[in-house]
């Protein structure tokens, strides 16, 4: 979850410290993880076939097939897929949440869902 505090009031909300108007702000909460879209833009944009849909329905990047072109990065409407920085192994290749494909293939729950205290991730 990405948390942003912006210095702009949103409508008639109570803003600033203790409701004062000295420094108005708004909080924006954004989910910054892969949604494993049914019609995944990253999957459709990949020219090498490095991005595939798994047997459990997740969208998975195959590191050994990815050529690092970056088409998937610009095709993701949520901005969650990225390229590995240069000093890291597999530099330039795309990466994102795997939805714990290895865990699901073994019949286990994804780690994020298991750790979520509100059980809002399933």
């Amino acid at each position: 979850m990405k948390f942003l505090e912006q210095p702009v009031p949103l409508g008639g909300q109570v803003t600033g410290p203790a409701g004062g108007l000295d420094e108005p702000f708004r909080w924006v909460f954004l989910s910054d993880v892969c949604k494993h879209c049914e019609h995944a833009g990253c999957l459709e944009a990949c020219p090498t076939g490095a991005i595939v849909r798994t047997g459990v329905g997740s969208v998975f990047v195959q590191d050994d097939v990815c050529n690092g072109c970056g088409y998937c990065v610009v095709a993701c409407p949520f901005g969650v897929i990225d390229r590995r920085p240069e000093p890291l192994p597999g530099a330039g290749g795309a990466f994102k949440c795997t939805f714990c494909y290895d865990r699901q293939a073994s019949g286990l729950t994804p780690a994020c869902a298991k750790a979520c205290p509100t059980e809002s991730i399933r």
Side-chain angles (χ1 to χ4, degrees):
M1 190 61 89
K2 187 182 292 184
F3 168 77
L4 302 173
E5 186 174 305
Q6 297 179 336
V8 178
L10 179 62
Q13 77 182 30
V14 176
T15 60
L21 296 175
D22 297 342
E23 296 180 37
F25 66 89
R26 71 177 177 178
W27 290 332
V28 180
F29 297 93
L30 304 167
S31 174
D32 61 351
V33 296
C34 183
K35 314 295 187 264
H36 300 278
C37 306
E38 185 174 330
H39 301 286
C42 61
L43 189 149
E44 294 170 8
C46 182
T48 64
I51 303 177
V52 295
R53 180 147 331 257
T54 67
V56 295
S58 62
V59 177
F60 185 77
V61 179
Q62 301 174 91
D63 294 330
D64 58 335
V65 181
C66 179
N67 68 0
C69 69
Y71 293 165
C72 57
V73 175
V74 295
C76 176
F78 301 102
V80 298
I81 193 163
D82 207 349
R83 292 170 63 189
R84 285 189 178 83
E86 287 302 321
L88 297 176
F95 73 97
K96 63 171 205 63
C97 164
T98 64
F99 203 44
C100 291
Y101 173 64
D102 55 337
R103 288 180 55 86
Q104 288 197 61
S106 299
L108 300 171
T109 305
C112 61
K114 186 172 178 84
C116 183
T118 62
E119 298 181 5
S120 59
I121 301 172
R122 296 177 184 256

